[in-house]
Each structure stands twice: as structure tokens, then as C-alpha cells.
């Protein structure tokens, strides 16, 4: 924490000194704060509006900010935004949480610690894993070469985007072609640890109606740690093979078409595929937290917008192997996902609008091609299993007065498993005190979706007398939030945003020991998914600011403080039930985290960027350091960490840039996640071309 405060003090001094140095050149105050910073956001209410006026807690990260900061992947770029906890597990593999609620039950493998409650989308299309929940960031088909901006909505948002938007939404908006003719963008960089990342985008706008673009991206990264954490020695040691040498090997290709049939009628088509192989903590095993996961997928997404009527249909098919090399219980399966929605924006007047909507979603997972009981290989579920839901929603947006705006919405989702309907809602109000001050109030509740694993788990190991079972009647996880926000423009160059939030979470689930039931053998070890009694309350404060001294200097600091307390946490369990229920502080979520973005254009050709990111100390829990009798191992104690990143960019011409990029320049060789790599400094050099 002291290091973070010191960094802020240094930057504050630079903020006072650098603008005066820059003024020696041209007139640097020719652009106002509004012209430099009046950024629109779409994801808050599904229509373009000023970020300052948006009723929900939200942020936008532009492609220019991402490039200036030197982020090498989409999840790393999220370290530039308020309210996001981004931990690197191996070189290029990240865990991303929105405000927290990490592993409320305090035990489980990597799947329990991973974020399962934030909805990630690409242009409004969910990219979500419906087996266990969450997003596999390495499996995204797009990369930074495709990104126009990233929009984040903090807080429950299911009425807008459906289940799984429990903690909020991360919407990745891809680039369009604005001018007729050809467009060529490329960016490639290479550095230490055999790290190479790059992308190429080719586009052509044939006329005012039709445009097409194709893009490709790749990342190849070695691990930065020569050792892995080994359960047997309770420490890091040499792996038995070199299979964990490569951290990330991913590739993606995308094709995007856009056709304007008429002035108020637009059709879009996107399709693509990707393959990724990544080392990260995911599946529990007997030697190390690490597993090698393989993701392959193809998608097609069709959208249209006609006079306020908007529709989308997407189909994704793919293959996952979540534990490459697993011999007995296979985590391999094929899947297909259908996602469709239809909405109508009904503008009753210039101050009152309604948006009714209908949605359908189906996710089918099948492991029949990989399971052969006669050969001793079984799957975690049997055959093909499907989760689906049908939903209806209604959003209302009304300006009661020139100063007071109300936004309210509700959504009902009917699931097949559990066979129940869930209601989510959102009420938000903004009050413009004057042109420079705005107050927000939000009350909302959202639930997660239904996942294949907890519903249909069915692992039978008679030889070991060991059985695991799912439950199709589990209550779905939910968060209730109360939020108060204040935005102010303290001057024409300085904007401040403050948000207080309280979130209440319940209906977690986990595998719990029980008496075996038929057809399972009495005396065997029998585990079944159950809802846990744990309930969490989080109180937090996020402060962010945007200071633009002139066209050459910008500073965006942000910091979140939070405390999460959980009641009824079980410290142990037997087949007689959960034991030792207690009330604890959920210290797996850091109590403080944040950073800043500082960009200084020293000359017309030279730009320098500094963007540190800080997370406070935290404790992480798993089967390893609880159920196996090691409750106090140091591997679960994660130290605070200040990651200092910097980039220097030199513009060779209007079309070509070269740059050097440093990540973790303080070279703090520490793990950020339970039993993962002690990541170190990385240096890169690269070239960007815009033709």
C-alpha cells in the first residue's frame, strides 16, 4: 500500500511539472476537457449516451488507451479500468474478477476460485463457458487488433443482458470501417520468455452500404517460472517433464461483414474460429495445481437493426479438454450453444421509451466420442446434457424533469434445470444538480445461469468406491446491490467519480460429502453438489478521476477499497454434514486494488506511458490447503504487489510506429494466484502499421 501511495505522490508531482514543460511548444489548451473526454458508452442502456450521464457504474477503455499503455492482451488491458481485479497465473493467462466475491466457500480447485459471475461479451454476444461458468480468456476468437473499445458495467445487470451478468458486464466492442477504401492494421511484438504476440486486420469499404474485414491474431508465450508448485513437498520444485514449458499458444481468425440495406436498416455477419492451449490452475490433481487446457471453437453471429427493432442470433460449436493427459476421468467434450434475442426500442416520446425483449439460450455438452467405459475411461457427465432458458424482459427510461431521470427494468428467466423461473430487476436514478455535478442511485438484483457441471456431474469409480453426483434442483447464485454514485467536473480539465456500493451474495454451491444412495455402494465416498449456507456482504468504495492538462498529458487514477464478510462458512465436512460453521472475512478478495494511466506526448513523435497496477495482500483457499490438512501453508498467502508497466512509442511516420514495452519493471517475482507462477519482468519491442 505504501508503494502505491508513493507512486501516486510521484505522479501528482509529474502532473504539475510536465504540462508546463509541454507548453514550450504549440498551444496545448486548444481542446477542452469535453472534446477530449466526452466519451459515449453503449452497454449501460443499450444506446449511445455520455459516460458522465450514464445511470450505472461504468467505464470505457479506448483502443488508443490500450495501445498507449502497452497491454499485450485483452485481460491485461482490464488492469487499466476501475473495479477490476486482474491476476496473472502464467505468462499471458489471467483470472479476472469484477469487484470480488472470490471463492466464498473457501475451498475447491481452480474452478471454484475462477470468476463465474461476470458476463463477457463481444459486440453483445456472450462468450461464456456453460459447463462450469466463467470465461476462458485465452479462448476468445478476437484480440487487441480487433478492439475499438472495452465497456464495463459494474454491478448486477441481468435485466439488460441476461443471467450470468451477476457481478457485471465486460463488453468488447470491435472496430468498424469508417471511410471507403482499404484498411490495413498490424501490430507485432516480441520479447523475453519467448513471447511473441501479433495481429493483422484487413478491411475494405466498397461503398456507403457494404464493408468487409478479416483479421488474424496469435500469442505464443513460455512460462516465466522454471518450477511448478508441488503438493508433495509443499513448495515449488522441478516438474517431472517439460509439458508445462509453454504458457499460452493461441490463434484466432475472424471475418466481419456489414451491410446497410437502408438508412434505418442494417445487417451484420461475424464468423470466426480459434484454438488455444494454455497452462493454468484449473483441475484438481495429485501433484500440482496446474493443468493443460485445450480450447477449440467456431462461431457465427447474425445481427440486424430495423427502425428500433434489433435482433441477434449466434451459434457456437467447439471442443474443450480441460485436463490434457488425464487418463481415467476425462474432462473432454464437444459443445454447441445457441443464443438469440429480439428487442424493440419504442420511443413513446422524446422523454419516455420502453424496450421489451425476448431471449432464448441453449447450451448442449456431449462427451460420447471420448468416453469408453470398457477401456476404463469415463466422463464427468454421461452422454449429452443441455441447459436452456427462455426469457422476457422490459426496460423503461423516462426523464421526469430536466434534472431527474429514471431507468427501470425487469427480466424473467425460465430454466429447464432447475425447473424454475427467476426474476431479476434494476432500478436506477440520476439527478443533475447542475451541468458539472450528478448523483446516481441504483438498486438491482441478478442471478447466475444454470451450468452443466453442478447439474449433471456423474462420476462413478467403483474400484475406488468413489462417486460424484450433480443436482438439478440447485438454487442459482444471486447478488443484490445498493449503490450510490457521484460524478463531478471540478474544472474543464478534471473529472472525478465516486461510487459507494453494498452487495449481498447467496446460493453458492459446492461438492459436499453425504451418505451414498442407490445405486451407489454403502461405505463408499459419495459427494454431491449442494447449495451452501454461506452468505456474503461486501461494502466498498471506488474512486476514479480523469485529468487532461492539455492535448499532450492525461492522468487517470483509480482505486477501490472493499471489505467482504461471510457468514456460515464451513471449515470442514464429513458424510454427517458441514462442520464448524463460522463467520469470517473473505480475504481472498484484496481489500484494496487499483492503479493509474499516465500518458505524456513529449513531442509529435515520442509518447511515454506509465501504468502501474496494485493489489493488496490476500489469502486464497483450495482443497490443497484445507481438506488435505494444510490450512496454514504460505502458498495461499498472496503478498501485496505493485506491477509497474511502461511503454515508449516513437512515430516513424503517419503510418508506422515502433515501441519498447516493459511489464512488471520492478521485477517482483511473486505469484498472484494460489500455487501459480512467480511472474517476473518482461521486456518487448514491437512495430505497428496503419495503412
Amino acid at each position: 500500500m505504501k508503494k502505491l501511495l508513493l507512486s501516486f505522490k510521484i505522479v501528482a508531482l509529474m502532473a504539475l511539472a510536465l504540462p508546463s514543460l509541454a507548453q514550450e511548444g504549440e498551444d496545448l489548451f486548444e481542446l477542452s476537457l469535453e472534446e477530449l473526454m466526452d466519451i459515449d458508452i453503449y452497454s449501460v442502456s443499450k444506446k449511445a449516451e455520455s459516460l458522465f450521464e450514464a445511470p450505472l457504474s461504468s467505464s470505457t477503455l479506448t483502443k488508443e488507451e490500450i495501445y498507449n499503455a502497452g497491454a499485450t492482451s485483452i485481460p491485461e488491458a482490464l488492469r487499466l479500468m476501475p473495479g477490476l481485479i486482474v491476476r496473472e497465473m502464467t505468462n499471458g493467462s489471467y483470472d479476472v474478477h469484477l469487484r470480488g466475491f472470490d471463492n466464498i466457500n473457501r475451498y475447491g480447485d481452480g474452478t471454484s476460485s475462477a470468476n463465474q459471475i461476470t458476463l463477457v461479451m463481444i459486440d453483445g454476444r456472450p462468450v461464456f463457458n456453460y459447463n462450469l461458468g466463467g470465461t476462458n480468456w485465452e479462448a476468445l476468437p478476437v484480440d487487441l487488433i480487433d478492439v475499438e473499445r472495452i465497456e464495463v458495467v459494474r454491478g448486477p445487470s441481468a435485466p439488460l443482458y441476461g443471467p450470468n451478468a451477476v457481478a457485471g458486464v465486460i463488453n468488447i466492442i470491435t472496430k468498424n470501417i469508417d471511410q471507403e477504401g482499404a484498411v490495413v492494421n498490424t501490430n507485432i511484438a516480441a520479447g523475453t520468455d519467448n513471447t511473441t504476440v501479433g495481429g493483422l486486420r484487413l478491411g475494405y469499404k466498397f461503398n456507403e452500404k457494404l464493408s468487409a474485414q478479416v483479421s488474424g491474431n496469435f500469442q505464443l508465450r513460455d512460462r516465466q517460472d522454471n518450477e511448478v508448485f508441488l503438493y508433495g513437498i509443499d513448495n515449488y520444485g522441478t516438474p517431472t517433464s517439460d509439458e508445462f514449458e509453454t504458457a499460452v499458444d493461441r490463434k484466432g481468425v475472424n471475418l466481419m461483414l456489414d451491410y446497410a440495406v437502408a438508412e434505418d436498416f442494417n445487417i451484420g455477419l461475424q464468423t470466426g474460429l480459434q484454438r488455444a492451449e494454455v497452462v493454468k490452475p484449473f483441475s484438481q490433481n495429485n501433484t500440482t495445481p496446474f493443468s493443460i487446457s485445450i480450447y477449440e471453437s467456431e462461431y457465427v453471429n447474425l445481427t440486424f437493426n430495423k427502425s428500433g427493432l434489433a435482433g441477434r442470433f449466434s451459434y457456437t460449436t467447439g471442443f474443450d479438454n480441460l485436463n490434457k493427459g488425464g487418463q481415467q476421468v476425462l474432462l473432454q467434450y464437444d459443445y454447441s450453444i445457441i443464443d438469440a434475442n429480439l428487442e424493440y426500442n419504442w420511443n413513446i416520446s422524446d422523454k419516455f421509451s420502453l424496450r421489451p425483449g425476448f431471449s432464448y439460450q441453449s447450451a448442449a455438452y456431449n462427451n460420447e466420442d471420448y468416453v469408453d467405459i470398457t477401456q476404463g475411461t469415463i466422463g464427468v457427465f454421461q452422454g449429452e446434457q443441455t441447459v436452456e432458458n427462455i426469457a422476457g424482459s422490459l426496460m423503461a427510461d423516462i426523464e421526469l424533469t430536466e434534472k431527474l431521470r429514471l431507468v427501470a427494468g425487469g427480466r424473467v428467466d425460465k430454466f429447464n434445470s432447475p425447473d424454475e423461473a427467476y426474476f431479476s430487476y434494476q432500478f436506477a436514478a440520476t439527478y443533475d444538480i447542475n451541468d458539472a455535478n450528478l448523483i446516481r442511485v441504483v438498486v438491482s438484483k441478478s442471478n447466475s445461469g444454470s451450468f452443466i457441471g453442478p447439474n449433471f456431474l456423474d462420476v462413478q469409480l467403483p474400484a475406488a468406491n468413489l462417486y460424484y453426483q450433480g443436482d438439478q434442483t440447485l438454487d442459482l447464485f444471486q447478488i443484490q446491490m445498493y449503490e450510490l454514485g457521484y460524478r463531478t467536473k471540478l474544472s474543464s480539465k478534471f473529472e472525478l467519480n465516486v461510487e459507494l456500493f453494498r452487495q449481498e451474495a447467496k446460493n453458492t454451491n459446492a461438492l459436499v460429502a453425504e451418505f451414498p444412495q442407490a445405486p451407489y455402494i454403502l461405505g463408499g465416498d459419495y459427494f454431491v453438489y449442494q447449495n451452501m449456507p454461506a452468505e456474503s456482504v461486501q461494502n466498498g468504495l471506488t474512486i476514479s478521476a480523469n485529468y487532461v492538462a492539455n492535448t499532450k498529458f492525461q492522468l487517470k487514477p483509480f482505486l477501490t477499497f472493499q471489505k467482504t464478510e461471510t457468514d456460515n462458512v464451513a471449515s470442514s465436512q464429513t458424510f454427517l454434514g458441514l462442520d464448524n460453521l463460522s463467520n469470517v472475512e473473505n480475504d481472498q478478495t484484496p481489500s484494496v486494488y487499483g492503479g493509474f494511466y499516465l500518458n505524456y506526448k513529449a513531442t509529435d513523435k515520442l509518447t511515454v506511458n506509465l501504468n502501474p497496477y496494485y493489489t493488496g495482500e490476500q489469502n486464497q483457499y483450495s482443497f490443497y490447503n484445507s481438506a488435505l490438512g494444510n490450512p496454514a501453508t504460505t502458498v495461499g498467502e498472496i503478498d501485496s504487489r505493485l506491477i509497474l508497466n511502461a511503454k515508449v512509442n516513437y512515430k516513424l511516420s503517419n503510418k508506422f510506429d515502433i515501441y519498447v514495452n516493459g511489464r512488471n519493471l520492478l521485477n517482483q517475482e511473486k505469484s498472484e494466484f494460489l500455487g501459480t507462477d512467480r511472474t517476473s519482468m518482461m521486456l518487448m519491442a514491437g512495430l505497428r502499421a496503419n495503412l
Side-chain angles (χ1 to χ4, degrees), residues 42-43 46 74-75 78 118-130 134-152 161 168-176 213 215 217 250-256 268-274 297-303 311-316 335 339 341 361:
Y42 173 84
S43 300
K46 292 192 175 180
I74 290 174
L78 297 176
T118 299
L119 182 63
V120 180
M121 304 184 297
I122 300 174
D123 296 324
R125 175 180 69 89
V127 282
F128 202 79
N129 181 283
Y130 295 93
T135 296
N136 298 313
W137 291 95
E138 306 84 11
L140 296 182
V142 301
D143 207 347
L144 294 178
I145 193 70
D146 304 290
V147 174
E148 176 69 24
R149 64 187 184 278
I150 301 174
E151 299 181 348
V152 171
Y161 293 105
V169 170
I170 300 172
N171 194 11
I172 302 164
I173 311 295
T174 60
K175 297 174 181 176
N176 289 320
Q213 52 184 316
S215 68
N217 61 81
R250 56 158 290 183
K251 306 171 184 67
V253 177
N254 301 275
L255 171 66
M256 302 179 184
L269 176 66
Q270 302 86 36
T271 185
L273 55 88
Q274 65 78 34
S297 66
E298 303 172 358
Y299 76 94
V300 61
N301 185 54
L302 177 66
T303 62
R312 178 181 53 78
F313 175 86
S314 66
Y315 178 73
T316 304
Y335 64 88
D339 192 284
N341 65 58
Q361 188 176 84

Side-chain angles (χ1 to χ4, degrees), residues 223 226-228 230 237-242 244:
R223 292 179 54 238
N226 293 325
E227 299 179 320
V228 297
L230 299 173
T238 303
T240 56
S241 68
D242 61 357
F244 292 139

